[in-house]
Amino acid sequence: MAVTPADRLLALVKLSPESVTRDKVTSILGKPTRIAESRKGSTWYYSLGTTKLTLQWSKGSGMAEQFSYSCGKGTTCGQFDKKKECKLKEGAMNMQQALTLLGPPKEMTVKEGKQIMYYNYQGNMLRLFFRNRTLVDYALVENRRE
């Protein structure tokens, strides 16, 4: 069975922040499509089909500071399933559990202390906000620009 971009994302999210190293990322995602260097560090760019992933590395510590993920335009998950909403447990659910329940998000940003995932449903946008990888709150907002 082929490894999908969603599988790779899930493998990356499973890593604890302190264990995200350049070698680990390369073993999961392969070599980056492009690398940009700056005074503060480097940015690795990946393109996996319609999925784009960006990792920012600190020059001082060598650790990953942030990664962001986005899936191609027009990605819609269909209608939002209210049964899944009942399973979203603030204060108890972690990012890995949310990804297992909802699948890969349309967009995601992971920083040291906070993480945000966005899911695009027909007529709605679901935003999940995590602090230290634990769900703090979520909101289902009507999407007026479809």
Side-chain angles (χ1 to χ4, degrees):
M1 179 184 286
V3 177
T4 66
D7 295 332
R8 292 177 181 182
L9 175 66
L10 188 55
L12 191 60
V13 169
K14 284 181 184 178
L15 296 175
S16 61
E18 61 277 357
S19 70
V20 177
T21 64
R22 294 170 193 245
D23 289 338
K24 281 266 196 207
V25 170
T26 304
S27 72
I28 294 169
L29 300 171
K31 292 188 177 191
T33 308
R34 182 171 66 97
I35 297 175
E37 298 289 340
S38 71
R39 285 185 296 121
K40 294 181 180 181
S42 62
T43 304
W44 288 11
Y45 297 91
Y46 286 90
S47 182
L48 309 164
T50 60
T51 303
K52 308 287 184 227
L53 181 66
T54 305
L55 285 112
Q56 294 177 340
W57 300 93
S58 168
K59 188 167 261 176
S61 70
M63 301 297 289
E65 290 183 325
Q66 171 179 329
F67 82 81
S68 57
Y69 159 95
S70 69
C71 201
K73 286 188 175 186
T75 305
T76 303
C77 302
Q79 288 292 111
F80 182 66
D81 184 357
K82 293 288 186 181
K83 292 177 187 173
K84 289 183 180 178
E85 183 175 14
C86 296
K87 295 179 182 178
L88 295 173
K89 302 290 183 197
E90 295 168 337
M93 178 176 262
N94 64 36
M95 289 177 63
Q96 184 178 342
Q97 292 166 326
L99 284 167
T100 301
L101 175 67
L102 300 170
K106 178 172 177 24
E107 294 180 27
M108 177 169 51
T109 301
V110 176
K111 294 181 182 180
E112 185 177 335
K114 70 177 185 178
Q115 303 80 38
I116 304 171
M117 291 188 211
Y118 294 96
Y119 289 87
N120 190 19
Y121 292 97
Q122 288 179 334
N124 297 302
M125 177 68 73
L126 175 64
R127 180 198 51 82
L128 303 173
F129 178 76
F130 298 82
R131 183 162 285 119
N132 298 320
R133 298 181 178 241
T134 300
L135 183 63
V136 174
D137 74 358
Y138 66 91
L140 186 64
V141 181
E142 185 176 340
N143 190 358
R144 298 170 193 241
R145 294 184 287 147
E146 276 199 68

